[in-house]
Amino acid sequence: MKPALFSVLCEIKEKTVLSIRGIQEEDPPDAQLMRLDNMLLAEGVSGPEKRGRGGPMAVAATSGGCPNDNSIEHSDYRAKLSQIRQIYHSELEKYEQACSEFTTHVMNLLREQSRTRPISPKEIERMVNIIHGKFSTIQMQLKQSTCEAVMILRSRFLDARRKRRNFSKQATEVLNEYFYSHLSNPYPSEEAKEELAKKGGITVSQVSNWFGNKRIRYKKNMGKFQEEANIYAAKTAVDATNVVAQGNQANSPSTPNSASSGSFKMTNSGDSFINLQSLTSYQSSPVGANVQSQMDSLHHVIHQTGRYDTIVGNPLYTTQRIDVRCTEANGSWQDATTPSSITSPAGDPGSVNSDASN
DNA sequence: AATAATGATTTTTA
DNA sequence: TAAAAATCATTATT
């Protein structure tokens, strides 16, 4: 009886055109999926668990502990990321398992039924394809939402602008020290930046940022920075003189002025320069190498003593005049916005700063 | 709560 | 292309 039924079913099938027809579907829509995959891979969500931990972790232990928050934040980020990653993988696995389970289940069912009704292998294949398609769309959704989560995480943790931390005391100390002892040319070289970064427990680009900000802000109104300028200038001045006092014999005094400004364009002010030079040499024995920084420091000290009154009295005015000093003297690390109009009411004690040059 | 500081980013400039 | 200048967004201070 069975064969009869079977053949009948076959006929019906033929008539109702339930048979296979266009089996052309699938797979143009893979562009998006590729994008998601790539991104997940790039973010380290998919791909091998890279717990590489080798990195620049142990930063310079030189001189004092800098907790260095950066790494803390980073590890926080990594923790969250690995959480996402974990979820992603477990979900993915679940889906894959479910998919294969369901597929085998359906196939078994169909095979069983194929005994009592006509089912071509092509139909089974098609069925399997459909199932896989369904599951892969689910997977894609998973990938998409994972991507979203990662992006959110990124914007929250990696965008340093959003989570700014002030530098440690140590870092600002080091940076300011350099800045004020190279006030005439506060452009640290790449090596110097690395050094500073190391000492301060920050990155080189942070050093660069800091100097960029510092220069512009210092220039913008120096009055505000007078205090710390004096502090650091005095500090480094003392250091410098000490150093000089100890051992300078190495260098010959034969490298006088030229050395001082180095790569800096020293527009004019020949006389004032000489002036300062004599001053410095007077204070501290002639030195070749260190001259620059000493001059900077001293400059500050002198400067301060020279016109403390005006500083106190009229900050604005002072600033401007200092500004002028910078322009004329340095001529370079920035040009003062101030017009020459305000320029020195010549003659006053302030003229001390004409020295300021370099 | 208002405002100053400050580190980072973006845009402009030389 | 590096530095200046403008701007943003967060943190500190009052």
Side-chain angles (χ1 to χ4, degrees):
Chain A
M1 207 45 204
K2 266 199 177 166
L5 181 56
F6 192 90
S7 61
V8 170
L9 286 172
C10 265
E11 260 177 53
I12 293 172
K13 190 174 178 183
E14 281 295 320
K15 281 181 184 169
T16 53
V17 203
L18 251 173
S19 58
I20 318 134
R21 277 184 304 170
I23 315 180
Q24 78 309 6
E25 356 179 338
E26 288 307 317
D27 304 84
D30 255 2
Q32 171 105 359
L33 190 88
M34 285 289 280
R35 273 217 310 264
L36 291 175
D37 272 336
N38 284 339
M39 187 194 147
L40 288 175
L41 202 62
E43 264 348 292
V45 174
S46 60
E49 167 90 33
K50 48 178 175 181
R51 257 308 179 217
R53 249 349 52 182
M57 246 4 284
V59 195
T62 18
S63 76
C66 268
N68 200 357
D69 51 299
N70 197 350
S71 60
I72 292 171
E73 248 179 60
H74 209 270
S75 74
D76 203 359
Y77 169 79
R78 293 183 76 90
K80 291 257 181 5
L81 184 66
S82 96
Q83 207 175 317
I84 288 178
R85 170 199 172 86
Q86 213 170 342
I87 292 170
Y88 169 78
H89 277 125
S90 75
E91 289 297 301
L92 201 63
E93 199 178 336
K94 241 189 276 178
Y95 288 158
E96 261 159 20
Q97 194 180 331
C99 181
S100 72
E101 258 175 42
F102 191 67
T103 303
T104 57
H105 173 70
V106 168
M107 276 174 69
N108 286 340
L109 214 61
L110 288 179
R111 260 199 285 273
E112 210 173 291
Q113 291 194 358
S114 71
R115 282 201 288 266
T116 55
R117 70 184 176 94
I119 298 173
S120 70
K122 283 216 170 177
E123 279 176 302
I124 294 178
E125 193 184 330
R126 186 158 73 117
M127 216 50 199
V128 169
N129 279 341
I130 289 170
I131 292 167
H132 282 182
K134 294 289 184 203
F135 273 93
S136 81
T137 63
I138 292 173
Q139 273 193 9
M140 181 153 133
Q141 278 173 359
L142 171 68
K143 284 177 181 175
Q144 194 154 10
S145 57
T146 304
C147 271
E148 252 168 60
V150 171
M151 287 317 266
I152 290 168
L153 185 68
R154 259 183 99 79
S155 69
R156 267 231 252 122
F157 280 83
L158 248 40
D159 186 0
R161 186 156 157 162
R162 299 220 139 196
K163 234 178 165 51
R164 177 174 71 73
R165 303 260 89 153
N166 288 350
F167 290 161
S168 65
K169 197 79 181 167
Q170 167 83 2
T172 56
E173 192 83 359
V174 168
L175 293 168
N176 274 316
E177 235 165 67
Y178 188 99
F179 182 80
Y180 287 110
S181 63
H182 297 71
L183 195 55
S184 63
N185 188 34
Y187 299 86
S189 66
E190 211 51 36
E191 301 93 58
K193 282 180 189 172
E194 279 171 35
E195 179 76 12
L196 290 169
K198 202 166 129 190
K199 282 189 188 171
I202 56 179
T203 70
V204 172
S205 69
Q206 282 179 306
V207 172
S208 296
N209 287 340
W210 189 91
F211 272 89
N213 283 324
K214 192 69 176 182
R215 283 191 299 261
I216 197 74
R217 283 162 182 165
Y218 179 84
K219 178 180 85 182
K220 206 147 182 156
N221 69 4
M222 297 174 145
K224 221 164 254 174
F225 291 93
Q226 272 309 117
E227 202 174 335
E228 75 175 10
N230 292 333
I231 293 171
Y232 285 103
K235 191 184 296 187
T236 57
V238 170
D239 282 353
T241 49
N242 281 348
V243 170
V244 170
Q246 285 181 357
N248 62 346
Q249 53 283 71
N251 25 27
S252 67
S254 61
T255 53
N257 48 13
S258 60
S260 50
S261 72
S263 62
F264 203 24
K265 65 170 147 182
M266 220 68 186
T267 47
N268 45 16
S269 67
D271 49 347
S272 53
F273 178 64
I274 289 169
N275 188 354
L276 170 57
Q277 209 175 11
S278 55
L279 229 166
T280 43
S281 56
Y282 163 70
Q283 271 218 349
S284 53
S285 29
V287 155
N290 234 337
V291 170
Q292 178 64 51
S293 74
Q294 278 183 67
M295 299 235 274
D296 283 330
S297 316
L298 287 170
H299 150 305
H300 252 291
V301 173
I302 292 164
H303 180 264
Q304 174 206 359
T305 54
R307 49 240 290 305
Y308 183 66
D309 50 344
T310 53
I311 290 169
V312 171
N314 184 346
L316 181 59
Y317 185 59
T318 307
T319 350
Q320 288 178 332
R321 286 190 44 229
I322 295 173
D323 228 14
V324 169
R325 146 179 81 74
C326 261
T327 353
E328 292 185 348
N330 297 5
S332 182
W333 82 271
Q334 108 22 172
D335 79 293
T337 51
T338 29
S340 47
S341 61
I342 310 198
T343 341
S344 56
D348 79 77
S351 49
V352 172
N353 21 355
S354 49
D355 70 345
S357 50
N358 74 91

